[in-house]
Amino acid sequence: MTIVQKIVSDLEKAIQKGSLSQGDALPSLATLQNNYSVSRDTGIRVYKNLKARGIAVPVHGKGYFLQNRSITTKINLFLLLDSLSSYKDTLVKNVSEAVSEKGKYRIYFHHHNEELFYRLIEEANENYTHYAISPYPNSSLVQKALQLLPNKKVTLLDRRDGIPGPFNFIGQDFKKDVYDGLVKLSHRIRYYSKFIFVFRNPSHHPQELKIGFQKFCIQTAIDYEIVSKVAQKSIRPGTAFLVIDDEDLAAVVTTTTQMDHELGKDIGLVSYNETILKKIVGNGITTISTDFAQMGKLLVSKLGSSKPYNIHNGSMVKERKSI
């Protein structure tokens, strides 16, 4: 046990015994220095530990005060996602269930706004034990924000986006995942004469998806196209679609029905990211998706690991009637 752990343990025992109540002032840094013969920096590390776990709160000019008597909190997770979708909701629910046994979490969303991204991380710095963050590319401010945090406590979640630095990672390999998924579906895709990927422009989706899609189409010698929106004229017999956004999925399904084409026969449809509704829409939509439930559980299981990790959260294919 290090000296910091020893002092933290002694303070926790005092809280447990009732010697300290919520709102009480904790021993000053000078008191810790005198009682334990340690440096000021060591005392600061003690209170950073308690602050990150949500147990102590600093009051400017007065010291630290007891904020929470629940000393069992070992994980206080800052979870920053781009936005809440139905599949990200699966991730969050599994994080919540897994972390409840070890501590707590708070969730925020940056909505691909780099100023908001920076501000949220700046405010979170030193207030949590761990940080799980979904970044996005082509923003120097995003990279600058991540540099505020201690590398070992940060996990880049779901996507890495070429972010430099020795951060931990749990997430998708988009190029590989979409390519592998399409290979598994190749016996169905070959039924169609053309394969169209609807990839919105501009889009915050990873560009690697397009690379994996093109690789598959070139290797299987299928006529393909990448478009930014669903055009009614493109929905004709013998065409299959790969879509990401639910609006594009709805456009393909609705237009196919209106034109009296049969989904899964005249028109093929594959959707990226599994959701509950895709099991029933159009009698079932075939999906390629990472396992977001597994991602959430993996994240919590790795928090506090002393070894760095770089984990590819594998993808799966759900074959249904849409292709």
Side-chain angles (χ1 to χ4, degrees):
M1 179 182 291
T2 66
I3 185 61
V4 171
Q5 292 171 330
K6 163 73 169 131
I7 300 172
V8 168
S9 177
D10 288 350
L11 290 172
E12 288 177 343
K13 289 175 183 177
I15 295 170
Q16 280 184 313
K17 290 178 181 178
S19 302
L20 290 168
S21 300
Q22 189 166 333
D24 285 353
L26 296 172
S28 67
L29 288 173
T31 299
L32 293 186
Q33 287 177 259
N34 292 332
N35 290 351
Y36 292 93
S37 299
V38 295
S39 67
R40 179 180 174 82
D41 285 345
T42 297
I44 290 174
R45 286 167 59 199
V46 168
Y47 282 120
K48 279 187 174 181
N49 176 294
L50 297 176
K51 179 187 175 187
R53 291 163 57 200
I55 296 172
V57 60
V59 177
H60 184 68
K62 294 185 177 181
Y64 286 84
F65 290 77
L66 185 62
Q67 178 176 251
N68 185 353
R69 298 188 71 250
S70 179
I71 64 170
T72 58
T73 300
K74 301 301 180 185
I75 291 176
N76 185 18
L77 174 65
F78 173 80
L79 180 60
L80 180 58
L81 303 178
D82 48 7
S83 60
L84 185 61
S85 58
S86 53
Y87 50 89
K88 290 288 179 64
D89 185 51
T90 300
L91 166 67
V92 173
K93 285 179 180 177
N94 280 271
V95 168
S96 178
E97 290 174 5
V99 85
S100 63
E101 299 176 1
K102 303 178 181 181
K104 57 186 179 179
Y105 77 100
R106 293 195 70 177
I107 185 169
Y108 299 87
F109 302 98
H110 57 71
H111 303 289
H112 298 98
N113 181 310
E114 60 181 7
E115 288 82 11
L116 177 60
F117 187 100
Y118 187 91
R119 180 172 61 79
L120 288 172
I121 289 182
E122 185 179 39
E123 293 174 353
N125 190 22
E126 296 189 352
N127 290 327
Y128 296 85
T129 59
H130 302 85
Y131 303 82
I133 299 168
S134 291
Y136 57 99
N138 305 321
S139 170
S140 59
L141 199 55
V142 165
Q143 297 185 24
K144 183 179 177 181
L146 291 172
Q147 297 305 320
L148 297 175
L149 304 174
N151 290 346
K152 293 181 180 179
K153 294 184 178 182
V154 176
T155 300
L156 298 182
L157 190 64
D158 190 32
R159 52 193 295 176
R160 185 157 200 133
D161 288 314
I163 301 294
F167 298 111
N168 296 311
F169 173 72
I170 298 176
Q172 303 183 60
D173 181 337
F174 293 94
K175 175 182 174 182
K176 174 178 171 55
D177 291 346
V178 71
Y179 172 80
D180 288 348
L182 294 175
V183 167
K184 290 178 182 177
L185 293 168
S186 59
H187 61 291
R188 296 191 179 210
I189 296 171
R190 287 194 183 99
Y191 174 81
Y192 301 89
S193 57
K194 188 166 186 177
F195 197 15
I196 297 177
F197 187 8
V198 184
F199 193 97
R200 295 194 170 194
N201 185 27
S203 173
H204 294 296
H205 296 304
Q207 296 294 314
E208 292 88 348
L209 289 168
K210 292 196 290 188
I211 299 172
F213 171 80
Q214 289 175 310
K215 178 182 176 182
F216 167 78
C217 293
I218 291 170
Q219 289 188 353
T220 54
I222 187 172
D223 184 22
Y224 73 93
E225 186 177 2
I226 298 176
V227 300
S228 60
K229 62 181 180 180
V230 178
Q232 183 171 340
K233 64 180 182 180
S234 68
I235 300 181
R236 54 179 181 266
T239 304
F241 292 85
L242 172 63
V243 300
I244 307 174
D245 294 286
D246 286 346
E247 292 89 343
D248 297 319
L249 184 150
V252 173
V253 172
T254 301
T255 306
T256 297
T257 302
Q258 291 173 344
M259 298 178 71
D260 290 327
H261 297 322
E262 184 178 346
L263 188 65
K265 183 178 179 182
D266 301 320
I267 307 296
L269 179 59
V270 180
S271 180
Y272 199 83
N273 292 322
E274 171 73 355
T275 65
I276 293 176
L277 285 178
K278 290 174 187 177
K279 297 178 182 180
I280 56 176
V281 172
N283 293 318
I285 304 297
T286 294
T287 61
I288 300 171
S289 179
T290 195
D291 187 337
F292 286 99
Q294 175 179 274
M295 190 184 297
K297 294 172 185 175
L298 265 175
L299 169 65
V300 177
S301 72
K302 286 294 182 179
L303 295 180
S305 173
S306 58
K307 297 181 180 180
Y309 48 89
N310 188 344
I311 301 173
H312 171 211
N313 195 70
S315 63
M316 55 189 177
V317 173
K318 299 288 186 181
E319 294 191 38
R320 301 190 178 105
K321 295 180 179 180
S322 66
I323 193 167

